[in-house]
Amino acid sequence: MKIKSVLLHQYENVSANLLWCPPLPEECSHLLKSSLELLQSKGYWVSPFPEGDGLTINNKTYDPKIALNDLKLCFEWLEIDGPSGNAQEAVQQLHAGRMVRVRYLVPVDKLLQWPDIVELGPYNIHRPVIPRERPVNSHPWGRSLSDIEGIDMDTDWNPFTAPAGSLAQLLAYPLIEGVTEVDASLFFPVGAGTCEYEPLVLQITEHADRVLDVLRHIYCHYRTPHYTPNHAGVIAGKEFRTAFLMPETQNLKWRKVTAKGQVFEANNVWLGLELDNSPSSSNDQLAEIASGIVANEVEGHIRSALRMRGQSFFLLNDEMRFLSLVFTIDACTFVGKKNGPQHRQHIAAFASGGNKFRFDEYLNSFDQLYKIRNKIVHSGSSFAELRVNAKDQLTQIDHILFCCIEQAVDESWTTEAEVNAAIKTRLTGFGC
């Protein structure tokens, strides 16, 4: 089977490029040398890219049609396409579908204090550089981000003095380190300007934000929403999302990428989260699930619930937050088509952990909360119109969702059938 490639023709003082996706199969690597020699014998100057993903080609009498025919003759093992339209689109299509692993560093705002490093499953969160207390040379990524001469030797250097656009600016913030896979075509955007890398930046920063959803799950609640860390990559007062990417492939270079934030992107402008100690190792499973390491049906629902609970803090009004939490409870508990008393009992039994006292407490609470839910959904009521305290309702519904997530993890259920069998057993034991 031939290897797909794209020919970008020579024009003016710009040489032609023949591009393919690395790495070449071993059998093609052996053919490359003879193909180069054959092309050179036809009067072309040719130089392979050091990254192994193409060639630079030049000829004083370059003719696009003749060059395409010559290349097809010399590189019979390549399927060579000359771009019929936009060259950027042709290159993007060449790389579409090729998944590459990317290690990243994403800054986070409103995560204020914790030990030197937070290790949660596949994620690490590094403390920022602090003058005298934690200089650049003690930061695990300090040297990689030191694009200002001498800062790695200056214990008094303050990262907030770094000029705009500098990599060293990132050292002023906690940095989430993680690994994910992305489609290689996102590294070859079409067009230019602030939107070109938006899909790539959004995918990376959302993957980083998943570990913050775990911290939000463990530490954040509606009694003190001002302790919530911001979205990963979003810094208060800055208009761009930011990430530093380290692709684990030869032909893609390390780079900082930025993109415009979303139109209604919420920020915490209050205090932010402080941690005295690292989260316990028991939360590693949550972090793995949040990152996308999902082993079964129930873990898929846990991942979704973690995301929805963590993101509920950033919705624009209390009614939206409340409804989001209610709907997430339904999905997390596999309540299915149950309604009325059966619906409420199923959720209370799920959250209770098999404890009859908690079941009664959650059933009574959820009954009252669901009446409020119905008035918001069916009558368009607000908490103010209903004359109820929004913070109280959010705290109660959020606590039930928290218990449901914890139960789904602790019980190690794997399928919907297992969940429903366990809930049926609990309800029978409760006399329902």
Side-chain angles (χ1 to χ4, degrees):
M1 183 176 177
K2 291 187 176 184
I3 306 300
K4 286 188 175 182
S5 63
V6 168
L7 173 62
L8 305 182
H9 287 299
Q10 180 177 324
Y11 69 96
E12 297 177 355
N13 294 323
V14 180
S15 296
N17 287 326
L18 181 62
L19 308 172
W20 57 77
C21 292
L24 282 177
E26 188 174 347
E27 61 271 20
C28 294
S29 297
H30 292 315
L31 296 171
L32 179 60
K33 182 178 179 182
S34 58
S35 294
L36 292 174
E37 290 173 351
L38 184 56
L39 186 62
Q40 287 169 333
S41 72
K42 292 180 175 291
Y44 292 87
W45 177 86
V46 57
S47 175
F49 293 168
E51 297 82 9
D53 61 339
L55 312 170
T56 297
I57 302 164
N58 196 287
N59 190 307
K60 291 182 179 179
T61 59
Y62 189 94
D63 178 275
K65 187 175 181 180
I66 295 173
L68 181 58
N69 289 333
D70 286 342
L71 286 163
K72 286 182 176 180
L73 179 66
C74 297
F75 293 84
E76 292 182 343
W77 46 276
L78 286 177
E79 179 184 324
I80 303 175
D81 291 326
S84 55
N86 188 303
Q88 288 178 302
E89 289 180 359
V91 174
Q92 186 181 72
Q93 285 300 311
L94 176 66
H95 291 273
R98 179 171 72 99
M99 302 304 291
V100 296
R101 274 172 55 92
V102 178
R103 185 170 296 278
Y104 60 74
L105 298 171
V106 173
V108 55
D109 197 13
K110 301 298 180 180
L111 190 55
L112 303 179
Q113 181 178 314
W114 70 98
D116 276 353
I117 186 170
V118 171
E119 297 176 331
L120 267 174
Y123 295 96
N124 292 323
I125 309 178
H126 304 282
R127 289 184 70 202
V129 165
I130 301 170
R132 297 192 179 183
E133 179 185 333
R134 194 165 190 265
V136 173
N137 60 14
S138 67
H139 193 290
W141 294 98
R143 291 188 180 276
S144 298
L145 300 175
S146 294
D147 59 351
I148 301 172
E149 187 175 354
I151 62 173
D152 56 330
M153 304 298 292
D154 184 359
T155 58
D156 290 325
W157 181 76
N158 188 333
F160 285 103
T161 65
S166 168
L167 283 180
Q169 276 190 320
L170 296 172
L171 294 170
Y173 302 97
L175 292 175
I176 300 171
E177 177 188 351
V179 178
T180 188
E181 285 195 341
V182 301
D183 193 298
S185 64
L186 296 178
F187 283 90
F188 300 91
V190 175
T194 57
C195 294
E196 62 173 341
Y197 281 108
E198 186 174 301
L200 176 60
V201 174
L202 194 59
Q203 184 172 336
I204 294 292
T205 55
E206 284 190 353
H207 189 272
D209 198 60
R210 296 282 185 164
V211 72
L212 297 183
D213 281 334
V214 176
L215 294 184
R216 294 176 190 123
H217 175 73
I218 301 168
Y219 299 109
C220 299
H221 50 81
Y222 280 93
R223 286 292 176 198
T224 53
H226 44 281
Y227 292 142
T228 306
N230 273 340
H231 281 119
V234 177
I235 305 299
K238 310 232 181 240
E239 60 178 327
F240 293 98
R241 282 189 179 223
T242 303
F244 181 68
L245 308 185
M246 298 167 279
E248 297 180 357
T249 181
Q250 265 191 317
N251 73 315
L252 297 175
K253 300 187 185 311
W254 291 13
R255 69 192 75 185
K256 183 173 85 168
V257 289
T258 60
K260 277 277 193 183
Q262 303 198 34
V263 176
F264 292 109
E265 197 152 57
N267 285 303
N268 174 13
V269 296
W270 280 34
L271 299 176
L273 182 62
E274 294 188 15
L275 305 181
D276 293 329
N277 297 294
S278 292
S280 68
S281 58
S282 63
N283 292 299
D284 285 348
Q285 184 185 1
L286 276 180
E288 289 179 357
I289 291 171
S291 76
I293 304 172
V294 173
N296 54 60
E297 186 178 13
V298 174
E299 288 189 358
H301 281 239
I302 292 170
R303 184 171 193 256
S304 176
L306 274 173
R307 186 64 175 163
M308 295 303 294
R309 181 169 182 252
Q311 297 309 294
S312 69
F313 291 99
F314 298 96
L315 296 178
L316 296 179
N317 63 55
D318 289 334
E319 290 76 23
M320 291 174 64
R321 297 184 186 100
F322 182 82
L323 292 179
S324 175
L325 295 169
V326 173
F327 297 147
T328 302
I329 288 173
D330 283 354
C332 179
T333 59
F334 294 89
V335 75
K337 295 182 179 180
K338 291 179 182 177
N339 53 38
Q342 285 187 326
H343 171 267
R344 322 290 191 269
Q345 289 172 358
H346 178 102
I347 288 168
F350 194 111
S352 71
N355 182 294
K356 180 64 164 65
F357 175 80
R358 289 180 183 169
F359 169 75
D360 292 337
E361 178 188 354
Y362 294 152
L363 182 59
N364 179 65
S365 177
F366 198 65
D367 267 334
Q368 299 306 312
L369 292 165
Y370 215 77
K371 290 174 183 176
I372 294 172
R373 174 263 186 206
N374 288 340
K375 289 177 181 177
I376 294 173
V377 171
H378 300 300
S379 303
S381 300
S382 67
F383 286 121
E385 290 171 336
L386 295 172
R387 296 185 179 180
V388 295
N389 185 291
K391 183 176 286 188
D392 288 344
Q393 314 313 310
L394 285 166
T395 300
Q396 290 180 60
I397 198 69
D398 181 59
H399 177 68
I400 292 174
L401 176 55
F402 174 89
C403 292
C404 289
I405 294 172
E406 292 292 301
Q407 272 294 293
V409 174
D410 292 344
E411 293 292 341
S412 300
W413 295 315
T414 60
T415 66
E416 181 176 359
E418 284 182 21
V419 170
N420 283 319
I423 298 307
K424 184 177 181 180
T425 300
R426 287 183 182 181
L427 288 171
T428 300
F430 297 152
C432 298

